[in-house]
Amino acid sequence: MPQEKEVQQILYWHFHDYREIFDERSVRCLVNPAEDFEKEIVMQADLSDLRYLYRYGAYIGDNERQIAAYLNTLPEADIQAMADTYTEGYRIGFETTGKDLSKKTVAQVRYPIGFERMVRAAVRNFEKMGLEVTMLASGTAANKQYDYDHREDRAYYLDKAYVERGLETWKNAFEEEKVHAGGMAGPAVIEVFGEEPFSPETKKEAFRYSEKQQQLCVYEMSQRGQITNQYIKGEERSFTIIAYPLPSIGTRFEEIFAETVKINTLDYMLYRNMQQKMIDVLDQADRVHITGKGANKTDLYVNIWKLQNPEGETAFENCVADVNIPVGEVFTSPVLEGTNGKLHVGQVYLNGLNYKNLEIDFKDGMVEKYTCTNFEDETENKNYIRDNVLMHHETLPMGEFAIGTNTTAYRMARDYDIADKLPILIAEKTGPHFAVGDTCYSHEEDNLSYNPDGKAIVARENTVSAQRRENPEKAYLNCHTDITIPYDELDKITVIRKDGTTEDIIVDGRFVLAGTEALNEPLDR
């Protein structure tokens, strides 16, 4: 039997020597439509014969089989309507940000295995827009604990030389595909939700990154992001993302699926007008004060961008159903200095992991302290957050403050008892939320965008992202995690003006601004 050091060296040189091949394939699959393995399945397979699922060579479980079978029962008009909502959100995302979609040639479709019937209709929609597609299919995890245990296996061989080799091959791969990369319009993503919530166990046998390796991971992620942005320019690309439930969500799956379709197609004009009433008040703010109620200990002051020309400028984006489907939030990039206090959520799922009593304290907009109650050992709690929320960074800025307005989604979550299964995409619309990491305008700070009322959105950066010209490795963190306080844990959201006067947006978890009362109807049912 080989000795441990010999095994380590075998693995190291395998991944080191073949990194070029791995990265070339990854980049080709991202930007080059000629890499059409998934597309051939989607467009050519007999989708009525579920044996096509096994052509992916991936784990196929009950979710994949059951969602494919369910979609096969829907009328073609329903499938087309789902695809239209998805692709129109993508198109409108370019329109509302003033980006020229006609300059682009490729869209990346990211989809869950089992959704091929909807994706087939979407591909045809994209083709009508003049876009070819690349595809990335994914399945549900066969064993989430196994994936969690092995998430840092690279610790066995990760070093500086390996990272530098990877950055070299990543750049070379993009250079080889620079024409296709220049035509990449961005991702169109279909997410799923409904799997049993997962709370991992920490296994002492699992590999863990050392402090030095964690720093290398942060460096690698930052550098890869910068290289990608050189070839797929952030100021020219957009995206869209939409989510649907899986059969594992429970016996009322078909009802929940129908409700989700309804949520994804809410009247965006109605929401746009109500959200504008909030923005009109929020734009007067010096600070916004957010407090929790009951056991929720949130007590947070968020510093808001000061407008020089209130007649033509706004600090908040009026987010309707385009890139982030469904409709339902207003958001801003906070001024970090002067943003202070505690964010607390009783329970929240972030990137598939459960956090109990998550607390994050901010000082001048930066994460200062954090904890949760997942584990008996406080060190384990801190490591859990540092690894999976801070992504190995020592601290992160508050990149976003938003007020979610989709009370219909909130009511669905309560009626069907699925709040713990909602994806961030929907959960963030069900209360105020705060993102740690990059702003929503990462790599697009200099690309001016406008709200439907014609006002320019000026709060697009903070003092971290402002370093982008001199120190891009410090400006971009390559992560953005939304943490939502549900309405039933929320007391008040209060605008505090420079002169000390105040005005409430929400009181006791209910919208109180004139013209926004309709948002309370689902909450009060």
Side-chain angles (χ1 to χ4, degrees):
M1 293 288 291
Q3 298 300 303
E4 181 179 351
K5 182 63 176 176
E6 185 179 354
V7 172
Q8 187 270 339
Q9 286 293 296
I10 290 169
L11 288 170
Y12 179 91
W13 289 109
H14 169 79
F15 288 111
H16 183 282
D17 291 351
Y18 289 99
R19 190 76 185 264
E20 186 172 16
I21 295 172
F22 300 149
D23 283 346
E24 284 177 355
R25 175 155 180 78
S26 293
V27 172
R28 281 200 311 271
C29 289
L30 171 63
V31 302
N32 192 334
E35 295 289 324
D36 63 352
F37 171 69
E38 288 96 344
K39 184 178 179 182
E40 194 277 332
I41 296 175
V42 168
M43 303 307 290
Q44 303 299 328
D46 177 2
L47 302 184
S48 66
D49 181 350
L50 297 189
R51 288 179 297 177
Y52 82 84
L53 294 167
Y54 297 93
R55 291 174 58 186
Y56 286 104
Y59 172 73
I60 303 298
D62 290 342
N63 276 314
E64 287 76 15
R65 289 188 294 269
Q66 291 172 12
I67 194 65
Y70 175 70
L71 292 182
N72 279 341
T73 69
L74 298 182
E76 186 60 33
D78 290 0
I79 294 292
Q80 189 62 52
M82 291 166 59
D84 290 349
T85 300
Y86 169 61
T87 58
E88 266 300 281
Y90 191 81
R91 185 192 66 78
I92 294 170
F94 279 86
E95 186 178 274
T96 56
T97 54
K99 298 173 183 176
D100 188 357
L101 182 57
S102 68
K103 292 168 55 178
K104 298 299 180 180
T105 56
V106 183
Q108 187 193 37
V109 175
R110 301 180 190 172
Y111 67 98
I113 294 172
F115 275 75
E116 288 75 17
R117 193 168 170 218
M118 174 187 167
V119 173
R120 179 179 288 183
V123 169
R124 290 169 177 157
N125 285 356
F126 282 124
E127 288 173 346
K128 291 174 184 176
M129 298 180 198
L131 297 171
E132 294 187 88
V133 298
T134 60
M135 291 188 171
L136 179 63
S138 60
T140 52
N143 185 326
K144 289 186 176 182
Q145 183 63 50
Y146 176 90
D147 292 343
Y148 186 81
D149 291 341
H150 292 274
R151 72 196 187 284
E152 295 183 4
D153 278 358
R154 291 198 311 165
Y156 197 47
Y157 55 83
L158 185 71
D159 64 12
K160 177 73 169 176
Y162 175 82
V163 168
E164 294 295 350
R165 164 70 172 161
L167 295 175
E168 177 188 4
T169 60
W170 189 245
K171 184 173 179 62
N172 290 342
F174 265 108
E175 184 65 24
E176 189 72 23
E177 291 288 346
K178 62 183 177 183
V179 174
H180 288 114
M184 169 54 67
V189 183
I190 304 170
E191 287 189 342
V192 288
F193 62 96
E195 292 185 273
E196 194 62 34
F198 173 62
S199 295
E201 297 178 35
T202 299
K203 305 288 184 65
K204 68 181 188 319
E205 298 87 357
F207 284 110
R208 295 292 305 273
Y209 289 132
S210 68
E211 190 70 27
K212 184 176 180 180
Q213 287 177 320
Q214 289 180 2
Q215 294 171 6
L216 275 175
C217 288
V218 170
Y219 168 76
E220 179 185 40
M221 184 168 59
S222 172
Q223 294 298 310
R224 280 170 71 95
Q226 290 180 54
I227 291 167
T228 301
N229 201 62
Q230 289 174 16
Y231 291 91
I232 306 175
K233 298 185 183 303
E235 65 271 16
E236 295 180 359
R237 69 175 182 255
S238 187
F239 69 97
T240 199
I241 183 168
I242 196 169
Y244 293 97
L246 290 168
S248 58
I249 204 162
T251 57
R252 302 177 73 181
F253 158 69
E254 293 190 15
E255 295 175 55
I256 297 169
F257 195 97
E259 282 295 309
T260 304
V261 171
K262 174 185 172 183
I263 287 168
N264 287 340
T265 55
L266 287 169
D267 183 351
Y268 81 92
M269 288 295 291
L270 176 65
Y271 276 79
R272 188 187 80 175
N273 294 338
M274 289 190 288
Q275 289 172 180
Q276 187 58 54
K277 295 182 188 303
M278 294 182 209
I279 292 173
D280 291 341
V281 175
L282 288 163
D283 274 344
Q284 302 170 29
D286 178 63
R287 296 176 298 159
V288 176
H289 188 198
I290 303 97
T291 53
K293 69 178 179 182
N296 189 294
K297 298 183 283 186
T298 297
D299 189 354
L300 186 58
Y301 289 88
V302 177
N303 195 4
I304 304 301
W305 190 282
K306 308 307 180 286
L307 304 179
Q308 302 303 310
N309 173 26
E311 297 303 313
E313 296 176 348
T314 180
F316 284 78
E317 181 161 332
N318 191 340
C319 183
V320 292
D322 42 47
V323 297
N324 272 311
I325 304 169
V327 69
E329 65 174 316
V330 300
F331 65 86
T332 190
S333 298
V335 177
L336 299 181
E337 297 73 18
T339 292
N340 297 300
K342 181 185 293 291
L343 169 63
H344 173 230
V345 187
Q347 179 170 263
V348 65
Y349 286 81
L350 307 173
N351 303 315
L353 299 177
N354 179 29
Y355 296 82
K356 301 173 183 176
N357 290 304
L358 176 65
E359 292 186 34
I360 300 178
D361 287 9
F362 292 91
K363 183 176 182 180
D364 284 328
M366 304 298 294
V367 173
E368 182 184 35
K369 295 188 298 183
Y370 47 86
T371 189
C372 62
T373 58
N374 285 56
F375 306 99
E376 292 184 6
D377 181 56
E378 180 62 6
T379 300
E380 276 195 64
N381 289 321
K382 292 184 184 299
N383 287 338
Y384 184 51
I385 296 168
R386 188 175 188 273
D387 293 349
N388 301 298
V389 178
L390 270 64
M391 305 301 181
H392 304 303
H393 293 277
E394 290 299 322
T395 184
L396 287 175
M398 183 188 292
E400 177 190 3
F401 160 54
I403 300 175
T405 63
N406 199 322
T407 51
T408 300
Y410 179 87
R411 174 48 55 201
M412 176 185 77
R414 267 43 188 182
D415 287 348
Y416 293 98
D417 194 22
I418 56 171
D420 59 342
K421 297 180 180 180
L422 290 183
I424 288 294
L425 177 67
I426 297 177
E428 69 175 2
K429 311 293 174 56
T430 63
H433 61 271
F434 309 82
V436 291
D438 291 325
T439 75
C440 294
Y441 302 95
S442 177
H443 296 286
E444 297 185 39
E445 294 89 349
D446 301 312
N447 184 34
L448 197 59
S449 55
Y450 298 84
N451 270 342
D453 65 354
K455 290 186 178 182
I457 302 164
V458 294
R460 301 191 305 278
E461 67 176 8
N462 55 37
T463 48
V464 173
S465 63
Q467 303 176 86
R468 60 190 178 277
R469 295 183 183 87
E470 294 79 24
N471 295 297
E473 68 278 2
K474 294 182 179 179
Y476 298 118
L477 295 315
N478 296 287
C479 58
H480 179 99
T481 302
D482 292 302
I483 303 167
T484 303
I485 305 173
Y487 299 118
D488 56 3
E489 292 187 31
L490 180 64
D491 182 19
K492 286 186 176 183
I493 297 181
T494 303
V495 166
I496 304 173
R497 301 184 182 91
K498 192 71 174 176
D499 63 6
T501 61
T502 65
E503 188 164 356
D504 293 322
I505 303 290
I506 289 178
V507 175
D508 194 24
R510 296 296 185 270
F511 292 87
V512 296
L513 276 184
T516 66
E517 298 90 348
L519 295 172
N520 295 324
E521 293 174 9
L523 297 176
D524 295 332
R525 283 207 301 268

